PDB file of all heavy atoms in Angstrom:
ATOM      1  N   ARG A 382      30.287   6.229 -10.245  1.00 96.00           N
ATOM      2  CA  ARG A 382      30.235   7.691 -10.152  1.00 96.00           C
ATOM      3  C   ARG A 382      31.034   8.330 -11.247  1.00 96.00           C
ATOM      4  O   ARG A 382      30.627   9.349 -11.856  1.00 96.00           O
ATOM      5  CB  ARG A 382      30.801   8.200  -8.765  1.00 96.00           C
ATOM      6  CG  ARG A 382      30.770   9.636  -8.569  1.00 96.00           C
ATOM      7  CD  ARG A 382      31.482  10.030  -7.215  1.00 96.00           C
ATOM      8  NE  ARG A 382      31.550  11.457  -7.140  1.00 96.00           N
ATOM      9  CZ  ARG A 382      30.562  12.231  -6.655  1.00 96.00           C
ATOM     10  NH1 ARG A 382      29.487  11.666  -6.242  1.00 96.00           N
ATOM     11  NH2 ARG A 382      30.736  13.533  -6.583  1.00 96.00           N
ATOM     12  N   LYS A 383      32.270   7.791 -11.452  1.00 96.00           N
ATOM     13  CA  LYS A 383      33.036   8.343 -12.607  1.00 96.00           C
ATOM     14  C   LYS A 383      32.332   8.178 -13.924  1.00 96.00           C
ATOM     15  O   LYS A 383      32.396   9.082 -14.747  1.00 96.00           O
ATOM     16  CB  LYS A 383      34.377   7.517 -12.655  1.00 96.00           C
ATOM     17  CG  LYS A 383      35.336   7.718 -11.527  1.00 96.00           C
ATOM     18  CD  LYS A 383      36.003   9.077 -11.603  1.00 96.00           C
ATOM     19  CE  LYS A 383      37.080   9.221 -10.537  1.00 96.00           C
ATOM     20  NZ  LYS A 383      37.687  10.612 -10.548  1.00 96.00           N
ATOM     21  N   ALA A 384      31.631   7.073 -14.078  1.00 96.00           N
ATOM     22  CA  ALA A 384      30.873   6.832 -15.310  1.00 96.00           C
ATOM     23  C   ALA A 384      29.716   7.815 -15.541  1.00 96.00           C
ATOM     24  O   ALA A 384      29.475   8.345 -16.603  1.00 96.00           O
ATOM     25  CB  ALA A 384      30.368   5.432 -15.374  1.00 96.00           C
ATOM     26  N   ASN A 385      29.039   8.129 -14.460  1.00 94.00           N
ATOM     27  CA  ASN A 385      27.923   9.036 -14.526  1.00 94.00           C
ATOM     28  C   ASN A 385      28.411  10.484 -14.840  1.00 94.00           C
ATOM     29  O   ASN A 385      27.841  11.195 -15.600  1.00 94.00           O
ATOM     30  CB  ASN A 385      27.190   9.086 -13.121  1.00 94.00           C
ATOM     31  CG  ASN A 385      26.374   7.852 -12.912  1.00 94.00           C
ATOM     32  OD1 ASN A 385      26.039   7.125 -13.879  1.00 94.00           O
ATOM     33  ND2 ASN A 385      26.057   7.557 -11.645  1.00 94.00           N
ATOM     34  N   GLU A 386      29.571  10.811 -14.275  1.00 94.00           N
ATOM     35  CA  GLU A 386      30.184  12.116 -14.567  1.00 94.00           C
ATOM     36  C   GLU A 386      30.575  12.178 -16.049  1.00 94.00           C
ATOM     37  O   GLU A 386      30.412  13.201 -16.713  1.00 94.00           O
ATOM     38  CB  GLU A 386      31.473  12.360 -13.682  1.00 94.00           C
ATOM     39  CG  GLU A 386      31.052  12.586 -12.278  1.00 94.00           C
ATOM     40  CD  GLU A 386      32.299  12.600 -11.362  1.00 94.00           C
ATOM     41  OE1 GLU A 386      33.417  12.320 -11.867  1.00 94.00           O
ATOM     42  OE2 GLU A 386      32.200  12.966 -10.176  1.00 94.00           O
ATOM     43  N   PHE A 387      31.142  11.071 -16.552  1.00 96.00           N
ATOM     44  CA  PHE A 387      31.536  10.992 -17.872  1.00 96.00           C
ATOM     45  C   PHE A 387      30.339  11.023 -18.904  1.00 96.00           C
ATOM     46  O   PHE A 387      30.405  11.776 -19.909  1.00 96.00           O
ATOM     47  CB  PHE A 387      32.286   9.643 -18.173  1.00 96.00           C
ATOM     48  CG  PHE A 387      32.774   9.474 -19.596  1.00 96.00           C
ATOM     49  CD1 PHE A 387      33.755  10.200 -20.107  1.00 96.00           C
ATOM     50  CD2 PHE A 387      32.174   8.442 -20.402  1.00 96.00           C
ATOM     51  CE1 PHE A 387      34.201  10.010 -21.481  1.00 96.00           C
ATOM     52  CE2 PHE A 387      32.601   8.195 -21.723  1.00 96.00           C
ATOM     53  CZ  PHE A 387      33.615   9.030 -22.242  1.00 96.00           C
ATOM     54  N   ALA A 388      29.247  10.355 -18.508  1.00 94.00           N
ATOM     55  CA  ALA A 388      28.022  10.404 -19.332  1.00 94.00           C
ATOM     56  C   ALA A 388      27.499  11.786 -19.406  1.00 94.00           C
ATOM     57  O   ALA A 388      27.040  12.248 -20.441  1.00 94.00           O
ATOM     58  CB  ALA A 388      27.004   9.417 -18.820  1.00 94.00           C
ATOM     59  N   GLU A 389      27.447  12.505 -18.268  1.00 92.00           N
ATOM     60  CA  GLU A 389      26.915  13.875 -18.228  1.00 92.00           C
ATOM     61  C   GLU A 389      27.805  14.794 -19.016  1.00 92.00           C
ATOM     62  O   GLU A 389      27.252  15.663 -19.721  1.00 92.00           O
ATOM     63  CB  GLU A 389      26.829  14.360 -16.738  1.00 92.00           C
ATOM     64  CG  GLU A 389      26.184  15.651 -16.540  1.00 92.00           C
ATOM     65  CD  GLU A 389      26.105  16.074 -15.108  1.00 92.00           C
ATOM     66  OE1 GLU A 389      26.285  15.212 -14.215  1.00 92.00           O
ATOM     67  OE2 GLU A 389      25.890  17.275 -14.835  1.00 92.00           O
ATOM     68  N   HIS A 390      29.081  14.659 -18.911  1.00 93.00           N
ATOM     69  CA  HIS A 390      29.996  15.547 -19.627  1.00 93.00           C
ATOM     70  C   HIS A 390      30.002  15.338 -21.106  1.00 93.00           C
ATOM     71  O   HIS A 390      29.967  16.280 -21.942  1.00 93.00           O
ATOM     72  CB  HIS A 390      31.416  15.321 -19.092  1.00 93.00           C
ATOM     73  CG  HIS A 390      32.415  16.285 -19.703  1.00 93.00           C
ATOM     74  ND1 HIS A 390      33.213  15.948 -20.798  1.00 93.00           N
ATOM     75  CD2 HIS A 390      32.818  17.589 -19.409  1.00 93.00           C
ATOM     76  CE1 HIS A 390      33.994  16.905 -21.062  1.00 93.00           C
ATOM     77  NE2 HIS A 390      33.774  17.888 -20.257  1.00 93.00           N
ATOM     78  N   GLU A 391      29.901  14.089 -21.513  1.00 92.00           N
ATOM     79  CA  GLU A 391      29.945  13.740 -22.961  1.00 92.00           C
ATOM     80  C   GLU A 391      28.513  13.608 -23.602  1.00 92.00           C
ATOM     81  O   GLU A 391      28.423  13.544 -24.832  1.00 92.00           O
ATOM     82  CB  GLU A 391      30.647  12.387 -23.184  1.00 92.00           C
ATOM     83  CG  GLU A 391      32.079  12.350 -22.728  1.00 92.00           C
ATOM     84  CD  GLU A 391      32.981  13.294 -23.545  1.00 92.00           C
ATOM     85  OE1 GLU A 391      32.721  13.412 -24.766  1.00 92.00           O
ATOM     86  OE2 GLU A 391      33.896  13.893 -23.021  1.00 92.00           O
ATOM     87  N   GLY A 392      27.478  13.607 -22.765  1.00 91.00           N
ATOM     88  CA  GLY A 392      26.140  13.551 -23.284  1.00 91.00           C
ATOM     89  C   GLY A 392      25.822  12.187 -23.962  1.00 91.00           C
ATOM     90  O   GLY A 392      25.132  12.146 -24.967  1.00 91.00           O
ATOM     91  N   ILE A 393      26.309  11.107 -23.311  1.00 90.00           N
ATOM     92  CA  ILE A 393      26.129   9.804 -23.938  1.00 90.00           C
ATOM     93  C   ILE A 393      25.295   8.925 -23.006  1.00 90.00           C
ATOM     94  O   ILE A 393      25.057   9.283 -21.840  1.00 90.00           O
ATOM     95  CB  ILE A 393      27.417   9.107 -24.284  1.00 90.00           C
ATOM     96  CG1 ILE A 393      28.203   8.798 -22.979  1.00 90.00           C
ATOM     97  CG2 ILE A 393      28.226   9.877 -25.212  1.00 90.00           C
ATOM     98  CD1 ILE A 393      29.467   7.895 -23.227  1.00 90.00           C
ATOM     99  N   ASP A 394      24.881   7.786 -23.512  1.00 88.00           N
ATOM    100  CA  ASP A 394      24.045   6.813 -22.779  1.00 88.00           C
ATOM    101  C   ASP A 394      24.869   6.400 -21.522  1.00 88.00           C
ATOM    102  O   ASP A 394      26.008   6.038 -21.610  1.00 88.00           O
ATOM    103  CB  ASP A 394      23.824   5.578 -23.683  1.00 88.00           C
ATOM    104  CG  ASP A 394      23.073   4.449 -23.018  1.00 88.00           C
ATOM    105  OD1 ASP A 394      23.639   3.788 -22.174  1.00 88.00           O
ATOM    106  OD2 ASP A 394      21.899   4.294 -23.383  1.00 88.00           O
ATOM    107  N   LYS A 395      24.190   6.481 -20.305  1.00 91.00           N
ATOM    108  CA  LYS A 395      24.899   6.188 -19.063  1.00 91.00           C
ATOM    109  C   LYS A 395      25.368   4.749 -19.023  1.00 91.00           C
ATOM    110  O   LYS A 395      26.361   4.510 -18.333  1.00 91.00           O
ATOM    111  CB  LYS A 395      24.025   6.551 -17.827  1.00 91.00           C
ATOM    112  CG  LYS A 395      22.803   5.659 -17.695  1.00 91.00           C
ATOM    113  CD  LYS A 395      22.025   6.124 -16.450  1.00 91.00           C
ATOM    114  CE  LYS A 395      20.770   5.230 -16.238  1.00 91.00           C
ATOM    115  NZ  LYS A 395      20.004   5.615 -15.019  1.00 91.00           N
ATOM    116  N   TYR A 396      24.618   3.832 -19.628  1.00 93.00           N
ATOM    117  CA  TYR A 396      25.068   2.483 -19.593  1.00 93.00           C
ATOM    118  C   TYR A 396      26.324   2.221 -20.457  1.00 93.00           C
ATOM    119  O   TYR A 396      27.243   1.427 -20.034  1.00 93.00           O
ATOM    120  CB  TYR A 396      23.921   1.581 -20.060  1.00 93.00           C
ATOM    121  CG  TYR A 396      22.603   1.739 -19.325  1.00 93.00           C
ATOM    122  CD1 TYR A 396      21.498   2.354 -19.848  1.00 93.00           C
ATOM    123  CD2 TYR A 396      22.605   1.372 -17.932  1.00 93.00           C
ATOM    124  CE1 TYR A 396      20.368   2.524 -19.146  1.00 93.00           C
ATOM    125  CE2 TYR A 396      21.420   1.572 -17.220  1.00 93.00           C
ATOM    126  CZ  TYR A 396      20.307   2.189 -17.812  1.00 93.00           C
ATOM    127  OH  TYR A 396      19.193   2.329 -17.086  1.00 93.00           O
ATOM    128  N   LEU A 397      26.379   2.927 -21.588  1.00 94.00           N
ATOM    129  CA  LEU A 397      27.572   2.861 -22.411  1.00 94.00           C
ATOM    130  C   LEU A 397      28.790   3.494 -21.720  1.00 94.00           C
ATOM    131  O   LEU A 397      29.885   3.031 -21.826  1.00 94.00           O
ATOM    132  CB  LEU A 397      27.300   3.527 -23.765  1.00 94.00           C
ATOM    133  CG  LEU A 397      28.266   3.315 -24.897  1.00 94.00           C
ATOM    134  CD1 LEU A 397      28.341   1.848 -25.236  1.00 94.00           C
ATOM    135  CD2 LEU A 397      27.881   4.114 -26.104  1.00 94.00           C
ATOM    136  N   ALA A 398      28.475   4.597 -20.917  1.00 96.00           N
ATOM    137  CA  ALA A 398      29.558   5.277 -20.242  1.00 96.00           C
ATOM    138  C   ALA A 398      30.186   4.329 -19.212  1.00 96.00           C
ATOM    139  O   ALA A 398      31.429   4.416 -18.985  1.00 96.00           O
ATOM    140  CB  ALA A 398      28.983   6.510 -19.566  1.00 96.00           C
TER     141      ALA A 398
END
Side-chain angles (χ1 to χ4, degrees):
R382 180 185 176 86
K383 291 285 186 185
N385 289 338
E386 291 173 351
F387 179 69
E389 185 178 345
H390 184 265
E391 298 295 324
I393 64 171
D394 179 286
K395 66 179 181 179
Y396 303 111
L397 193 61

